[in-house]
């Protein structure tokens, strides 16, 4: 190589490094502690600290986390391009309308119980002067970061205030058929595979209102971790309760203290979704990636992303997973009800000890 060529190469490398540095240059936040890629994100660091200390009990993956994550879904899925195309208002998606128009939307049957977390979050929204849509998604992502094994969720800032409530009957319910659930999600722009990925939120969730006689009942045996146990335990043989009433939408689980939704039971066994369901059983990396992608899509439904700022850096990094996928104690691989027609259910280790009994989620 000639000296001239070598000099030109050095100039090119130096120019590239300067350009790269310019692209990643951070701004100092007014607090003198944090930096951010966009100054608009600086205001969120004290919000995150407040949430962790005063909403999520110092950083727990507990009841408030579960309810905050649930609220992200119930607010965002109130969105229907089909209704909009028919010149009917279809809801604004992830716009905070479930709080802004609380009196209307909390009366919807599917939103039973969300008024509890709404009432908890409203003082934080007022304190930090955020739009309800931004706060709901921020709180959900921050709370979820406390769950071991969770992916770090994306957060975009810039949702305007909601201008109208969502219409009723857009939030899927536990007793809905698979046909209805897939059609509702398809209307909002989600594939069957994405529906299954979003159900992974049930790994860190509990039911208070499906059966009001047993509030705080978790959907799997590891409700404080984001893992694949819900995909394993829903695949165990269970009994569908006949009739309606308090048990409507519920399937009996072989694990004492655990509740299974009829919709989860059916999706795990439907030919359109069973193989995707099974694929998450022993592939945690895929589960993290698919759930994060689904949540990123859900969190901006109905929003103009070009007008939003990526502030994902304010979301804490979740702790690593320590639980390995397993068959609960007292059961075996023979208790799995095979549903995927193209691949056998993975052979998993069986947890040692007596028959598993799942404790309820402690109230906040």
């Amino acid at each position: 190589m000639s000296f001239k060529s070598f000099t030109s190469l050095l100039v090119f490398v130096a120019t590239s490094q300067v350009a790269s540095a310019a692209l990643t240059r951070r701004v100092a936040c007014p607090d003198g502690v944090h930096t951010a890629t966009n100054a608009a994100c600086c205001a969120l660091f004290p919000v995150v600290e407040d949430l962790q200390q005063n909403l999520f009990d110092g950083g727990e993956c507990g009841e408030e986390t579960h309810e905050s994550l649930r609220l992200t879904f119930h607010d965002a899925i109130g969105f229907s391009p089909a209704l909009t195309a028919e010149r009917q208002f279809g809801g604004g998606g992830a716009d905070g309308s479930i709080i802004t128009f609380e009196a209307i939307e909390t009366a919807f049957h599917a939103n039973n119980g969300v008024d509890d977390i709404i009432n908890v979050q409203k003082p934080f929204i007022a304190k930090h002067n955020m739009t309800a849509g931004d706060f709901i998604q921020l709180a959900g992502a921050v709370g979820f970061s406390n769950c071991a094994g969770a992916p770090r969720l994306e957060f975009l800032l810039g949702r305007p205030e909601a201008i109208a409530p969502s219409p009723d009957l857009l939030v899927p319910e536990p007793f809905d058929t698979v046909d209805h659930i897939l059609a509702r999600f398809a209307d909002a722009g989600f594939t069957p595979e994405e529906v299954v990925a979003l159900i992974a939120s049930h790994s860190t969730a509990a039911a208070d209102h499906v059966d009001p006689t047993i509030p705080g009942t978790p959907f799997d045996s590891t409700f404080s971790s984001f893992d694949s146990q819900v995909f394993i335990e829903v695949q165990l043989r269970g009994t569908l309760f006949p009739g309606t009433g308090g048990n409507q939408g519920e399937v009996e689980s072989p694990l004492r203290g655990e509740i299974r939704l009829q919709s989860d039971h059916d999706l795990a066994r439907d030919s359109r979704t069973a193989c995707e369901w099974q694929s998450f059983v022993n592939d945690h990396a895929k589960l993290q990636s698919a759930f994060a992608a689904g949540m990123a899509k859900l969190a901006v439904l109905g929003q103009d992303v070009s007008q939003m700022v990526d502030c994902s850096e304010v979301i804490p990094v979740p702790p690593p997973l320590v639980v390995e996928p397993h068959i609960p104690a007292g059961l075996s691989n023979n208790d799995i009800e095979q549903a995927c027609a193209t691949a056998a259910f993975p052979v998993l280790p069986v947890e040692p000890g007596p028959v598993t009994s799942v404790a309820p989620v402690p109230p906040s």
Side-chain angles (χ1 to χ4, degrees), residues 47-48 56 166 176 221 236 243 272 307:
V47 184
V48 171
F56 301 124
S166 167
D176 288 340
S221 58
L236 294 168
R272 293 163 289 185
Q307 301 300 308

Side-chain angles (χ1 to χ4, degrees), residues 44-273:
L44 297 177
F45 287 109
V47 184
V48 171
E49 182 177 355
D50 192 13
L51 288 173
Q52 289 287 60
Q53 293 303 316
N54 300 309
L55 180 60
F56 301 124
D57 299 321
E60 290 187 359
C61 181
E63 176 70 6
E64 303 299 350
T65 288
H66 306 159
E67 291 302 309
S68 293
L69 190 63
R70 180 181 181 227
L71 191 62
T72 66
F73 172 75
H74 282 249
D75 182 49
I77 202 64
F79 174 71
S80 174
L83 289 180
T84 302
E86 295 170 4
R87 299 185 180 276
Q88 301 179 51
F89 183 71
D95 62 355
S97 66
I98 200 167
I99 289 181
T100 305
F101 299 95
E102 176 187 2
I104 296 173
E105 293 196 33
T106 57
F108 300 164
H109 185 270
N111 289 337
N112 185 23
V114 298
D115 55 316
D116 293 338
I117 189 63
I118 286 174
N119 291 333
V120 171
Q121 289 191 4
K122 284 169 72 175
F124 288 90
I125 296 173
K127 176 181 178 181
H128 295 290
N129 194 30
M130 294 181 67
T131 66
D134 275 345
F135 185 85
I136 287 172
Q137 298 302 325
L138 178 67
V142 172
F144 188 58
S145 74
N146 298 321
C147 303
R152 190 186 195 188
L153 297 184
E154 180 180 83
F155 175 71
L156 302 187
L157 176 71
R159 296 164 185 80
E161 294 286 0
I163 59 174
S166 167
D168 198 359
L169 305 179
L170 294 184
V171 181
E173 301 206 55
F175 48 80
D176 288 340
T177 65
V178 173
D179 285 346
H180 179 87
I181 292 170
L182 296 184
R184 173 75 273 275
F185 272 100
D187 175 39
F190 291 87
T191 66
E193 291 76 17
E194 290 172 324
V195 174
V196 176
L198 286 172
I199 287 173
S201 63
H202 291 176
S203 176
T204 59
D208 288 325
H209 302 282
V210 174
D211 187 339
T213 66
I214 47 172
T217 306
F219 296 124
D220 77 2
S221 58
T222 56
F223 57 81
S224 61
S225 297
F226 178 80
D227 55 37
S228 62
Q229 283 306 121
V230 70
F231 292 96
I232 297 167
E233 292 166 23
V234 169
Q235 206 68 58
L236 294 168
R237 290 183 175 84
T239 303
L240 180 64
F241 283 114
T244 58
N247 292 328
Q248 187 179 19
E250 181 186 349
V251 177
E252 185 178 22
S253 170
L255 302 183
R256 293 196 301 269
E258 180 177 290
I259 193 170
R260 184 185 302 177
L261 300 183
Q262 177 184 324
S263 52
D264 286 0
H265 176 277
D266 294 347
L267 283 161
R269 291 159 176 78
D270 190 276
S271 61
R272 293 163 289 185
T273 48

